[in-house]
Amino acid sequence: MINRVVLTGRLTRDVELRYTQGGAAVATFNLAVDRRFTNQQGEREADFVSCVIWRKSAENFANFFHKGSLVGIEGRIQTRNYENQQGQRVYVTEVIVENFSFLESKNSTGNGSYQNNRSQNNTSDPFANNGDSIDIQDDSLPF
């Protein structure tokens, strides 16, 4: 069986970080994922997906991402149910996040554009000048 989810979207609100009685961190958030097509009015709609992430990853996620952040996640779909205070059975479907990726810079405005700041001269990065040739000797390569 395969239960694999890969999503790219924006956080609809700040991440909610809590801790279980046993001390495990758990963070919940909603991810707005644009649909590939437009509706009859020509507008693009989105799906709002509930997500959960655990332990140290939850703490890191909550520290680095905020409302509007563009993020990529990998995980699995999980369903659960419980009985609410009115005695009704409530069913929940959510993505359990196992891995996540930064998809824009920290200084990005959150409007979907990635801002690459090339004005900073980073001499420790040999790829900083994108397009310039790099002199590497054949005997330096591991293959």
Side-chain angles (χ1 to χ4, degrees):
M1 304 297 162
I2 298 174
N3 181 355
R4 201 86 201 128
V5 176
V6 178
L7 297 172
T8 299
R10 291 195 180 276
L11 296 182
T12 61
R13 58 186 163 81
D14 285 342
V15 178
E16 184 179 325
L17 179 64
R18 298 180 318 243
Y19 291 87
T20 66
Q21 290 179 349
V26 58
T28 56
F29 59 94
N30 285 325
L31 198 64
V33 180
D34 286 340
R35 294 182 178 170
R36 297 185 73 131
F37 52 87
T38 57
N39 62 19
Q40 291 179 345
Q41 292 76 32
E43 300 168 343
R44 188 171 298 264
E45 295 179 351
D47 292 302
F48 299 91
V49 181
S50 298
C51 302
V52 178
I53 187 168
W54 288 88
R55 298 176 185 74
K56 186 64 176 172
S57 294
E59 293 174 327
N60 289 335
F61 196 92
N63 286 332
F64 291 109
F65 296 108
H66 305 284
K67 180 179 178 178
S69 296
L70 182 65
V71 62
I73 64 167
E74 290 180 60
R76 59 186 168 81
I77 292 178
Q78 180 173 293
T79 58
R80 59 185 172 89
N81 64 72
Y82 62 93
E83 193 171 300
N84 67 12
Q85 293 177 348
Q86 292 78 28
Q88 298 171 320
R89 179 71 47 200
V90 177
Y91 295 90
V92 178
T93 301
E94 54 202 1
V95 173
I96 305 301
V97 178
E98 298 168 351
N99 195 10
F100 61 88
S101 299
F102 295 86
L103 296 180
E104 63 187 356
S105 68
K106 185 176 181 179
N107 297 329
S108 183
T109 59
N111 63 5
S113 62
Y114 180 82
Q115 296 179 353
N116 187 5
N117 187 359
R118 292 188 182 181
S119 62
Q120 296 176 349
N121 186 8
N122 187 354
T123 57
S124 64
D125 183 0
F127 302 104
N129 295 325
N130 294 338
D132 292 351
S133 63
I134 300 172
D135 186 26
I136 299 175
Q137 303 298 322
D138 286 343
D139 57 350
S140 297
L141 300 174
F143 47 89

